[in-house]
Amino acid sequence: MFKLVIQDDEGKTTVVPLIRDEITIGRKEGNTIRLTERNVSRRHARILRNNGEVQIEDLGSYNGIRVNNARIAERVSLRVSDQVQIGDYKLYLKAEGVEQVDDARTMPIERVDNHTGPTDVIPAMSAAMSNGPTQPMSMQTPAPATLAPVGQLVGSPNRTQVAVADTDPQGRPIASAAAVAAMTTPVGYGKLVVVSSNFAGKEFELSRPQMIIGRTDENDIVINHRSISRNHAKLVREPDTGRYTVSDLQSSNGVRVNGQDYGKVELRRGDVVDLGHVRMRFVDAGEDFVFARDAVITDVPDAGGRRGMVMIVAGIAAVLVVVVAYMLLNKTDKPANTIKDGSNDIVVAADAGDVLAVVTADAAEAEVEAPADAPGVVTPVDDKGNQLRVDCKSMLNQMDWQGLRTCSESLKKYDQKLAAEFLARANTESKAQTHLAGVNTAIGKGHVKSAEAELRGIPKDSVYRKEAEDNFAAARTAAANEVAAAAKGKITANCRVFNAYMNGEQDRLGKSVVDEARQKISCKPEVTAIKDPIKDPVKDPIKDPPPKCDPDALAAKGQDFFSGGSYPQALTAYEQAFTCRSDPGYAMRAFLSSCNSKNLSKAKTWWKRLAPSTQQQTVSVCVRNGISQADLQ
């Protein structure tokens, strides 16, 4: 009798007897064998027994089937000890009395590598063997394997047995050689497009083999939001397949794909990726995606209760560990529905109707933080509180703001006031550190005016303030020297050309740079006769010219308020920026700020200024805050 040995990516094995003539394999319920990893299609494969042979065929799965590392395109006969790859699982055919793979081994499994390099081809059985008397698989002599050209699929074109039309629910046909080549050839690069209101429409092209996403400036992709960790996640593009995977870098708020938490996961077309409170859509290479046409702005749901739920789950898990340990210590017989595999047990549904086996991934995939007072850990309360105070103070001195946040959360149980002070300091300094990076980046690009705007975001008592002031002062002096040197040739008898030049430089570099330059060089002001003197100063007073404004600085100020949840202040800043410069982007952000602050009158005003396509993209933000589209008309 034939058996099927199934090995998961951790080396755990399950043995399933092939007692039926037809067995289906897939991820959804109703299959004879369920493999629950994400890269297994809902209906993936079928195994048939036919005249002493065991055959396997692909049911139009997304990732296909590999036999001895060669992807199959038609029904193929299996020999004893052939290796079948389905998703992250390895399957081996076993016959009683025949030497082959040991089902008790626990060596680690290798993940699927969908490369298109040379692979071994499964030889088709000769006509003499297939038409002659049937003999057991153990007695058949397999033909030697040959090397297939790049991209060739397994199977003889002369075979009459072909895969039946039993595809997965997405209707993908069994791939031809050309289709497989097309699937595995990367076309351009993928990208992440922000679809949450905080950075709506911002795009990041994934053009490098490896890219780090984080809040600070040293990352490849910088998302300056308080919910993003300093180094939050890593994106890797496989060179052979062009597919992307995203991994969590121990971030505070984790990585979620389509609402599920993952430590590492492969991205597919249309996946929604949440990093903290920033939501992005993964756009695959070559995908026809236009933000104005296809995107719908949706913010990340509030996950404030997530940490509390994690703590509850961790407590329940700790209790379960104690109960299971007790049962194992007091019970010597193994349950009838388990199979021994080294130090691990694999649960098998040996008699569950049409289901022969269910092989699952590790259920403890998500990281769970154990509570400080977990069973088995006994620490005096006073000692623990004092130790946390010391630890938090050490992290403050080391300027480890993320560590200080975590420490202050633990300290709340013992000293709420001090924990709140530590947390406030960590948040303030973390934001100041981001502004310091902005100062240095702007200076490096020669944007002294932008550097000054970033400097204003650093509090006077911040540990980063002096460094930022020193760096900016040096850049300002250097810029002022350049302005003064260039202004020497602009001096005329009446200074008109000089003053016009200086005013232009002030718009470009900022008032502080020009003021310093004027201290180095100046000219006498023009003296002219007043043609029409004012007769009555009371009735005809001298009016000061309207002050100039900086739309970029106001927009940056609005973004800071928006990221911090201060939507009324953000609205005021964006309105001022729009007054300085009629930028449609400022109008959209003013509308989003109005919606989030539930200001109907302002929302109606800015709604009228938006283009129809932008209205459709952003109206969901108002609807979520209780303002319908009809209210905006």
Side-chain angles (χ1 to χ4, degrees), residues 16 57 100 151 191 193 208 222 305 332 376 467 483 489 534 556 563 605:
V16 180
E57 65 181 357
Q100 29 91 93
K191 60 184 178 181
V193 181
R208 300 181 188 175
V222 179
T332 57
E467 179 182 354
V483 171
I534 299 174
S563 299
T605 299

Side-chain angles (χ1 to χ4, degrees), residues 13 83 139 191 324 330 364 473 534 605 609:
T13 58
Q83 175 185 294
M139 300 299 294
K191 60 184 178 181
V324 171
N330 290 275
I534 299 174
T605 299
R609 293 181 178 270

Side-chain angles (χ1 to χ4, degrees), residues 267-283:
L267 294 178
R268 297 180 182 174
R269 176 175 297 190
D271 279 352
V272 175
V273 181
D274 292 342
L275 304 183
H277 294 295
V278 179
R279 172 164 290 181
M280 294 174 284
R281 184 192 187 278
F282 173 66
V283 179

Side-chain angles (χ1 to χ4, degrees), residues 96-167:
E96 290 184 350
V98 180
E99 287 293 331
Q100 29 91 93
V101 65
D102 179 9
D103 60 83
R105 61 183 179 178
T106 57
M107 63 181 183
I109 189 171
E110 294 180 356
R111 292 277 181 182
V112 178
D113 185 11
N114 293 323
H115 60 274
T116 57
T119 54
D120 289 341
V121 175
I122 304 299
M125 297 184 62
S126 65
M129 184 176 293
S130 60
N131 296 328
T134 303
Q135 48 184 320
M137 292 293 294
S138 60
M139 300 299 294
Q140 296 175 3
T141 304
T146 59
L147 196 63
V150 174
Q152 179 174 328
L153 300 183
V154 173
S156 169
N158 298 322
R159 293 285 295 267
T160 58
Q161 287 184 324
V162 296
V164 298
D166 185 6
T167 59

Side-chain angles (χ1 to χ4, degrees), residues 40-110:
V40 178
S41 294
R42 288 172 286 183
R43 283 178 53 83
H44 200 112
R46 176 161 49 199
I47 294 178
L48 304 169
R49 291 194 312 168
N50 185 17
N51 295 329
E53 286 188 356
V54 177
Q55 300 168 334
I56 188 169
E57 65 181 357
D58 190 353
L59 298 182
S61 64
Y62 186 90
N63 291 313
I65 301 171
R66 290 181 179 271
V67 178
N68 296 336
N69 204 32
R71 181 165 177 166
I72 66 173
E74 60 179 20
R75 188 179 298 173
V76 170
S77 295
L78 295 179
R79 299 166 299 177
V80 173
S81 78
D82 277 348
Q83 175 185 294
V84 179
Q85 187 87 47
I86 296 179
D88 287 341
Y89 299 90
K90 289 181 179 179
L91 292 77
Y92 303 90
L93 185 64
K94 176 181 179 181
E96 290 184 350
V98 180
E99 287 293 331
Q100 29 91 93
V101 65
D102 179 9
D103 60 83
R105 61 183 179 178
T106 57
M107 63 181 183
I109 189 171
E110 294 180 356

